[in-house]
Amino acid sequence: MSASTQIKQCSASPVAERKVSDTRKNLRQHMAWAKEAETGKLVFVGELPRIRTGLKCGCVCYGCGEPLEAVNAGNSEAQVTPHFRHKELPDSGMCSQAVTKILLRTELEALKELYLPTRQVVAAWQGLSGREYKVSRLRPARHLVVNEVVMSSDVEAVLLLDDDSQLIVRLSGRLQVSETGDLIPTIHIQSDNPLIASLSPAKLRERLSVLIGEGQWTGPDIDSKLSEEVSEEARQAARNALDWVPEAAVPEIGRTPARETLLHWTAKEILQEMHCFDVPGIWVPWMDSYSRSGLTQKDCEVAGTTLDLKDIRLETRVGRTRPDVLAEAKGEPCHIWEGPLAIEVTVSNHINAERLARIEAENIAFLEVDLSGDDRAINYDLLHRILSEDSDRKRWLFHPGTAVLQRQLLSRSTGRLVTDTARELAIRFEELFVQQYKHPYYQLPNTSTDQALATIENELQLIGRELEKRGYVGADLVKHRGTLIRPLHRLFTMKRNEVVGYRLESIWQVVNAILGDMKNSSSRRFHVHYHLALQAYKPKLDSSEAGTRVKAWRDAVADGCRSPKDQYYPNTQFNLFLGLLFPELREKLQWRPRAAQS
């Protein structure tokens, strides 16, 4: 450790002080130390023989340079403690202070080990929000070995320690020391206590240890490692509050991003280092028909699990989408959980229908982690827990395992198609058809399809084909979609007294749509069926004009049944199948117009 040292002299001349201290002439301080006039050597009064008592001691004052008398030198039986005193002028106290500095400096020069006082190390880090994160740690007192002491001035010693570091011990006239901008660790010790001038060598060394232990630190810490640790703690406090931008994030989000941006970046970084990841389960909608095949609600679900992740990549393009994180996942059962896993972290920009469609087109597991709403309360530790463990904030945008589960259910539920009666199949057909056309895909614009809908359509086709084999023409909707879908919407609307297949609110609105069928339209050939359904199911028509308009419509349909060329002449091709779906109409559907029989 190297640094420039600034030397400051804080004491005034002792002689000058004595000349302005006449009011303290009666003040006497016993000094045990003096300077031998002939050699300049530091002399302790206890070392003098009795023959050198009085002026025979040949000593002068360190403070003012005047001759001193040795009182009771060498007299072990004296009642007054041996000491030095001025021959003419009394000690003002400044001489004792000057001796004190000499003694302390001498002891410092001979120092071979020392105990450093405790030190409070403080570091502060300012976050993005302006909040200051402060951390402090108390370094305990320590014992160090001194290799060399170099006195840089009368009031300052540079200690070279055994670990090659340096320490300055600075003698100060007061205990309260303000920061002086020292570049080297510095301890200030009180040097103006005149009592030190009366101590023996042993007591002096003991006292020096106490003074250093009670000293005050300025400048850097003697061991920069602790300062770095405390500074890192302050930085980590800001980081844990998500109030600090790491250097690694600067190229991507800058130094002053919005908190949402920093939260999003941090979440991706955590996920990149995460090799275990909790995910919610998958499920398919329950259908009443499943119970007839011995299935239960539990068969429609696969519980959430912990996935092992590897080959974790950020912002990797997958087809037409680019998720935040892409990894290879592995879990049990492997036919559900093994394969690519894309993770999207949502803070403010939610997944729209267009992007959801692009996601589903890639046919890989795609999970959303929703951090919106209370993002201000999320810190780093909580964010890590949410990402690794909290399944409540996670939802599947798409999972191919759903299709696997649905195929399993379909295989088990359709295995009995051959043994089911036609009526049992018709009940399941109605259930699936209504679910299909009440799905948001059909009810709301710009809504993408999902795997549940695909499963419904697959099972519906299987049932339709089975019924078609048994002679119920029209049951295979793939073959007759253009002819029969719209009539089924209308007939099920009347039967169930709820709108099916329309983005409308009332049965009367559906009837109005029927009345609006274009002239010569093939759908008008099912108007006989609609009138039969109105009579059998009596759906609620909330309109004052309903009675008049329905009567006029019924008369027009009745007239049309007299000629095969009329637009209202009934289509009887699908009557067997319609009679199976709508048993209440079966008997009347067996009727044929006379013109058709001729």
Side-chain angles (χ1 to χ4, degrees):
M1 184 188 301
S2 61
S4 59
T5 303
Q6 184 177 7
I7 302 173
K8 294 184 178 180
Q9 297 284 353
C10 300
S11 304
S13 169
V15 177
E17 291 291 339
R18 287 186 64 245
K19 292 181 179 179
V20 296
S21 303
D22 293 340
T23 57
R24 300 166 61 189
K25 286 183 179 181
N26 295 326
L27 178 63
R28 289 184 175 272
Q29 296 287 351
H30 289 177
M31 293 187 298
W33 299 84
K35 180 169 66 173
E36 193 171 44
E38 182 177 346
T39 63
K41 178 183 176 182
L42 185 65
V43 177
F44 175 57
V45 69
E47 298 173 347
L48 294 177
R50 191 162 190 172
I51 193 173
R52 294 185 63 179
T53 190
L55 290 175
K56 294 178 183 179
C57 67
C59 295
V60 296
C61 177
Y62 265 105
C64 61
E66 295 187 6
L68 298 176
E69 293 178 329
V71 179
N72 291 330
N75 185 0
S76 60
E77 298 178 357
Q79 294 184 353
V80 177
T81 303
H83 63 278
F84 291 105
R85 69 183 178 191
H86 289 82
K87 180 177 180 299
E88 296 179 357
L89 296 176
D91 179 17
S92 67
M94 296 304 297
C95 290
S96 297
Q97 293 180 17
V99 173
T100 296
K101 282 191 173 63
I102 295 295
L103 293 173
L104 292 177
R105 187 184 69 183
T106 303
E107 289 300 317
L108 284 173
E109 290 177 329
L111 201 61
K112 294 303 178 186
E113 61 181 29
L114 78 160
Y115 287 91
L116 294 180
T118 59
R119 181 169 192 181
Q120 191 81 8
V121 181
V122 180
W125 194 271
Q126 189 174 38
L128 283 174
S129 64
R131 176 186 170 189
E132 188 175 67
Y133 299 86
K134 186 175 289 187
V135 175
S136 65
R137 190 186 296 180
L138 187 67
R139 178 188 285 284
R142 291 185 296 166
H143 176 265
L144 295 177
V145 176
V146 180
N147 285 343
E148 185 181 356
V149 178
V150 179
M151 294 302 301
S152 59
S153 73
D154 288 343
V155 294
E156 190 172 272
V158 179
L159 279 58
L160 306 178
L161 306 178
D162 61 343
D163 61 355
D164 295 329
S165 61
Q166 297 181 18
L167 172 68
I168 292 176
V169 177
R170 183 172 293 158
L171 306 180
S172 177
R174 49 193 168 87
L175 275 177
Q176 287 73 30
V177 179
S178 61
E179 287 287 346
T180 58
D182 295 307
L183 300 178
I184 297 178
T186 303
I187 296 178
H188 294 254
I189 64 174
Q190 187 177 12
S191 63
D192 57 356
N193 186 349
L195 294 177
I196 295 176
S198 65
L199 299 178
S200 66
K203 291 290 185 182
L204 182 60
R205 283 188 287 274
E206 180 182 326
R207 183 60 182 166
L208 178 62
S209 178
V210 172
L211 288 176
I212 292 177
E214 294 176 348
Q216 293 194 16
W217 281 101
T218 61
D221 188 53
I222 194 169
D223 182 0
S224 60
K225 182 179 179 181
L226 179 64
S227 298
E228 293 169 359
E229 290 176 357
V230 175
S231 179
E232 180 61 23
E233 283 187 34
R235 186 163 51 247
Q236 288 298 327
R239 179 193 179 196
N240 190 55
L242 296 179
D243 201 12
W244 169 64
V245 181
E247 283 299 319
V250 173
E252 183 176 343
I253 63 177
R255 296 192 180 278
T256 57
R259 178 177 169 81
E260 292 82 1
T261 304
L262 178 58
L263 178 61
H264 186 263
W265 182 89
T266 306
K268 291 193 299 181
E269 291 301 303
I270 293 175
L271 286 170
Q272 190 175 27
E273 301 300 324
M274 194 173 291
H275 299 289
C276 290
F277 187 69
D278 284 2
V279 295
I282 61 173
W283 60 279
V284 295
W286 169 257
M287 299 181 188
D288 292 340
S289 59
Y290 288 162
S291 61
R292 292 191 290 272
S293 301
L295 299 173
T296 66
Q297 292 277 3
K298 199 169 183 180
D299 294 313
C300 295
E301 303 170 359
V302 175
T305 188
T306 300
L307 299 179
D308 294 327
L309 304 183
K310 62 180 182 179
D311 191 21
I312 304 172
R313 292 158 284 164
L314 301 183
E315 304 287 348
T316 301
R317 182 164 290 282
V318 180
R320 296 175 58 207
T321 186
R322 187 171 64 180
D324 290 327
V325 179
L326 183 65
E328 287 296 320
K330 188 172 184 179
E332 293 294 335
C334 60
H335 69 282
I336 296 292
W337 297 119
E338 189 168 322
L341 171 65
I343 304 173
E344 185 70 23
V345 179
T346 300
V347 180
S348 55
N349 297 323
H350 291 272
I351 306 296
N352 57 29
E354 180 184 357
R355 189 174 180 202
L356 186 60
R358 294 201 304 267
I359 289 170
E360 293 176 352
E362 303 308 324
N363 197 39
I364 67 171
F366 214 113
L367 185 75
E368 179 186 40
V369 183
D370 189 355
L371 302 179
S372 61
D374 56 351
D375 59 284
R376 294 285 167 186
I378 297 178
N379 58 29
Y380 186 91
D381 294 335
L382 178 57
L383 176 59
H384 195 286
R385 185 184 66 78
I386 289 172
L387 294 174
S388 62
E389 304 173 9
D390 191 353
S391 294
D392 291 339
R393 291 177 180 263
K394 301 170 184 175
R395 71 180 182 103
W396 291 110
L397 299 175
F398 178 83
H399 198 293
T402 305
V404 176
L405 180 59
Q406 288 168 336
R407 285 195 295 271
Q408 292 175 345
L409 293 172
L410 189 59
S411 175
R412 293 173 63 181
S413 64
T414 57
R416 296 181 55 188
L417 286 180
V418 177
T419 59
D420 283 348
T421 65
R423 180 56 192 151
E424 288 174 334
L425 294 176
I427 292 172
R428 292 172 66 186
F429 183 98
E430 177 180 346
E431 178 186 354
L432 293 166
F433 185 89
V434 173
Q435 282 189 358
Q436 179 186 39
Y437 287 96
K438 291 186 73 175
H439 190 277
Y441 174 78
Y442 294 97
Q443 297 298 309
L444 300 175
N446 302 321
T447 301
S448 61
T449 59
D450 62 15
Q451 200 62 50
L453 179 60
T455 300
I456 291 172
E457 292 177 338
N458 287 338
E459 187 172 357
L460 194 60
Q461 289 177 21
L462 289 173
I463 294 173
R465 290 168 187 163
E466 177 64 26
L467 287 173
E468 190 102 10
K469 290 177 184 177
R470 300 185 188 187
Y472 293 96
V473 178
D476 188 348
L477 295 182
V478 175
K479 292 168 57 176
H480 305 285
R481 179 176 296 276
T483 305
L484 206 54
I485 293 295
R486 181 58 71 190
L488 287 178
H489 287 165
R490 295 169 173 180
L491 290 170
F492 280 127
T493 293
M494 296 173 187
K495 176 182 179 180
R496 302 171 69 92
N497 201 26
E498 62 175 339
V499 178
V500 176
Y502 283 88
R503 292 197 293 271
L504 299 174
E505 297 180 358
S506 69
I507 310 300
W508 175 243
Q509 289 176 318
V510 175
V511 172
N512 262 324
I514 297 173
L515 294 174
D517 280 345
M518 292 185 301
K519 190 175 182 180
N520 297 324
S521 169
S522 60
S523 64
R524 285 200 173 191
R525 297 195 176 275
F526 289 94
H527 282 218
V528 170
H529 302 78
Y530 304 148
H531 275 289
L532 294 177
L534 286 174
Q535 291 176 356
Y537 301 121
K538 296 181 172 51
K540 189 175 181 181
L541 304 179
D542 294 324
S543 173
S544 58
E545 61 178 339
T548 302
R549 294 191 62 187
V550 168
K551 183 179 183 305
W553 172 38
R554 183 171 59 247
D555 292 342
V557 172
D559 291 339
C561 290
R562 297 187 179 96
S563 171
K565 296 180 180 180
D566 193 274
Q567 57 187 324
Y568 287 121
Y569 194 82
N571 182 338
T572 60
Q573 178 185 6
F574 308 108
N575 279 5
L576 183 62
F577 174 53
L578 294 177
L580 180 66
L581 292 179
F582 307 95
E584 298 83 359
L585 310 183
R586 182 182 301 140
E587 183 177 348
K588 292 183 178 181
L589 287 176
Q590 293 175 1
W591 168 82
R592 296 289 187 273
R594 292 180 182 176
Q597 296 175 351
S598 60

